[in-house]
Amino acid sequence: MDETQYALVTGTSSGLGFEMASFLLEEGYSVIGLSRSGTEIDHPNFIDIICDIRDEAAVEEMFELVGENTDALHLIVLNAGIFEMAPLVETSTNEFNDHLATNVTGPFHILKHGVDFIVEDETHIVTVSSIAAKKGLSNISAYSASKFALNGLIESVRDEWEHLGVRFSTLMPGAIITPIWDEENEDLPRDQMMEIADFMHIFQMVVTSPSHIQFPEITFLHKRGMIK
Ligand SMILES: NC(=O)c1ccc[n+]([C@@H]2O[C@H](COP(=O)([O-])OP(=O)(O)OC[C@H]3O[C@@H](n4cnc5c(N)ncnc54)[C@H](OP(=O)(O)O)[C@@H]3O)[C@@H](O)[C@H]2O)c1
């Protein structure tokens, strides 16, 4: 990279966001990372911002801080998300709404208030959705509803911002072993889950691809199929 390019990554305190931010720093990006709890990433080109993406005012404040560092984001990674398994009748309305607030309204806030940082014909927006945005399965109704909605949001904005020449790529992985599974049933078949390195293989391919290419939907999963 000739001149410093900034990437904004949501959900950098653990799992995929932590790995993606670390990779982008190695690639020469300056990375702005968001989470509610902060991250252990320690790098001179990393800016750690505590921000709850469900809170619109917090997102606006966060972009004011971003503006003190740069006026251009070449990469935006919409990654932060929550996942809880439960049968529909055992899912509280609060839990259902929290999936929507985090997985859909959060990215909406980032796009709405981040638009001023978009560089025409250059910015790439990468969304970490899920295979659950394509297929609903038992016990993930709140999560699946939120990820279907997230894909709808992104598809709509892609069309609306076509004139800006923004690239939109959406990753829809199957299960990956990350802390998101920590609270779930230990009997789930971990040997049917991908490793973070498998996810990173695809992410690296997407962000290092030629700048005229976007990946509207990439679905990938372990060859043993979806977790049930
Ligand atoms: N692991 C999988 O099997 C899998 C499969 C398909 C898709 N995905 C998707 O991949 C993404 C990352 O998940 P992961 O597996 O890496 O899980 P993870 O380790 O639990 O990481 C989730 C990240 O999101 C952040 N986050 C959650 N709520 C937030 C909020 N309101 N505001 C700001 N940050 C928030 C968390 O930070 P704080 O808690 O510190 O806020 C954390 O950094 C999610 O969108 C998930 O749906 C995961």
Side-chain angles (χ1 to χ4, degrees), residues 6-163:
Y6 279 81
L8 178 88
V9 182
T10 67
T12 42
S13 62
S14 78
L16 306 180
F18 183 97
E19 294 297 325
M20 288 187 285
S22 304
F23 167 75
L24 294 170
L25 287 163
E26 275 170 31
E27 284 290 291
Y29 281 92
S30 285
V31 177
I32 298 155
L34 314 184
S35 63
R36 291 165 302 174
S37 52
T39 178
E40 286 172 10
I41 296 174
D42 181 16
H43 190 286
N45 298 333
F46 184 77
I47 301 168
D48 192 19
I49 303 184
I50 302 289
C51 176
D52 184 337
I53 60 168
R54 296 170 298 185
D55 178 348
E56 185 165 19
V59 170
E60 286 182 275
E61 258 176 53
M62 176 275 293
F63 276 117
E64 279 170 26
L65 273 177
V66 171
E68 290 171 13
N69 291 278
T70 183
D71 57 5
L73 292 173
H74 282 84
L75 180 62
I76 298 175
V77 184
L78 302 170
N79 163 73
I82 59 163
F83 166 81
E84 280 168 39
M85 295 183 80
L88 179 94
V89 294
E90 290 172 23
T91 302
S92 71
T93 302
N94 276 347
E95 284 162 345
F96 188 84
N97 286 341
D98 201 24
H99 277 83
L100 296 180
T102 309
N103 299 352
V104 191
T105 314
F108 161 75
H109 289 152
I110 301 286
L111 294 171
K112 181 176 171 188
H113 297 290
V115 67
D116 293 342
F117 292 84
I118 279 175
V119 188
E120 281 197 29
D121 287 324
E122 290 189 28
T123 297
H124 192 181
I125 299 176
V126 176
T127 301
V128 183
S129 183
S130 166
I131 201 165
K134 279 282 155 198
K135 175 139 187 66
L137 288 173
S138 306
N139 302 325
I140 57 166
S141 53
Y143 182 71
S144 206
S146 71
K147 292 293 190 178
F148 267 78
L150 174 62
N151 279 24
L153 169 76
I154 297 301
E155 201 173 306
S156 186
V157 182
R158 178 190 289 123
D159 194 50
E160 203 167 303
W161 291 357
E162 202 175 8
H163 63 285

